[in-house]
Amino acid sequence: MRNLERRYRTLLKVLPRWYRRDREEEMVGIFLAERDDDLDLEHSWPGWGETWAVLGLAVRTHLAAGAALTSVPAKVVWRGEVVRALGMLGLLLGLYYATSAVVQVFTLSGGPYAAGVAWWRVLELAPFVAFPALLSGRRTLAKVAAGAPALLSVASLGQPGPAALMWTVFQLPALVTFACLCLGFHREAPIPPARRLLWWGGGAVVLGAVGGVAAGTGLLLLGLITAGARVFAFVRGDAVFGRALSLFALLQLVPLVFLVVAWDEVVTSRTVLSVVLLLVAVLPVRRRSKAAPQVS
């Protein structure tokens, strides 16, 4: 085996084993076609275009969806659906925060926004663009718009200090769900059902308005809504939604633990909320039927 072939095979290891089992030899043959120069075979590396193509294929196969892929293991299909559900939860979370921010700007007289609103706060409204864009199938626009609030979170890392660290930890659910949105809704992923999700989006807006008026209750409200939605998913037998909510609860639990460990802040309401979120995270899911999901 020449060095170039070995490097191609190393690159292909990012693909799942079930996919490589059927396609690896064919792909290596295509990569090495017409590359018969000895110097090239010993010292060359895979090109950037080939590398990006393989990485994109890795995302689509690890988070499988679409009729283009056949013989996909059931666990891979479930993984992709859970990641996409977690990405949708992130968009709903963005709608909640965006609505809360708007309400706070207009209602908190004498509060932190009384002296004027910074221009960059417009980026917090981006979920209002990202949500309908994804439901209409414009994945790229949805990801770019959803990334605007995430950009604000990343920018806070450039301001060292305890406050910046706390802000980053509290933004962990938004950052992780944004990554799930980008990875899960690849070009072969199905478009989310608009009719059903519009109701969820409206609920997120209403809850955001409540959270904006009742400042300081955001964590408690989100935790309770997550627990309620988890019960709803269990009753319906929606295993995908239930697993996504379990992971979402775990992400919300991280800031609460951080407050205790780093700041030694033990508050009864937060302790109760932590227990509720922990139960949501560890409780088993319930499937409506034992039939494996189908890729369609």
Side-chain angles (χ1 to χ4, degrees), residues 190-216:
I191 298 173
R195 180 177 299 180
R196 180 162 61 94
L197 286 172
L198 281 175
W199 288 100
W200 287 92
V205 170
V206 172
L207 291 173
V210 174
V213 173

Side-chain angles (χ1 to χ4, degrees), residues 90-273:
L91 268 187
L92 295 174
L93 181 65
L95 288 176
Y96 171 87
Y97 281 139
T99 305
S100 179
V102 171
V103 171
Q104 288 178 6
V105 166
F106 288 102
T107 61
L108 290 184
S109 57
Y113 311 117
V117 181
W119 66 268
W120 50 263
R121 287 189 63 86
V122 176
L123 296 177
E124 294 182 346
L125 305 180
F128 290 119
V129 177
F131 187 72
L134 184 61
L135 297 188
S136 61
R138 291 175 288 181
R139 297 178 178 86
T140 301
L141 175 60
K143 294 174 184 179
V144 171
L151 182 64
L152 294 178
S153 300
V154 174
S156 68
L157 295 174
Q159 305 172 3
L165 179 59
M166 178 180 290
W167 170 258
T168 303
V169 172
F170 273 82
Q171 293 303 309
L172 184 64
L175 294 174
V176 173
T177 53
F178 170 66
C180 290
L181 178 74
C182 292
L183 295 174
F185 288 99
H186 49 78
R187 67 188 185 191
E188 295 176 4
I191 298 173
R195 180 177 299 180
R196 180 162 61 94
L197 286 172
L198 281 175
W199 288 100
W200 287 92
V205 170
V206 172
L207 291 173
V210 174
V213 173
T217 62
L219 276 177
L220 180 62
L221 186 59
L222 280 175
L224 294 178
I225 294 300
T226 301
R230 181 70 164 80
V231 173
F232 174 77
F234 183 85
V235 172
R236 290 195 59 188
D238 193 336
V240 169
F241 190 38
R243 182 58 65 209
L245 285 167
S246 295
L247 296 173
F248 191 56
L250 192 62
L251 291 173
Q252 294 179 58
L253 189 60
V254 172
L256 296 174
V257 174
F258 176 83
L259 287 175
V260 175
V261 174
W263 296 82
D264 197 24
E265 292 188 9
V266 180
V267 182
T268 303
S269 60
R270 291 175 184 168
T271 303
V272 173
L273 179 59

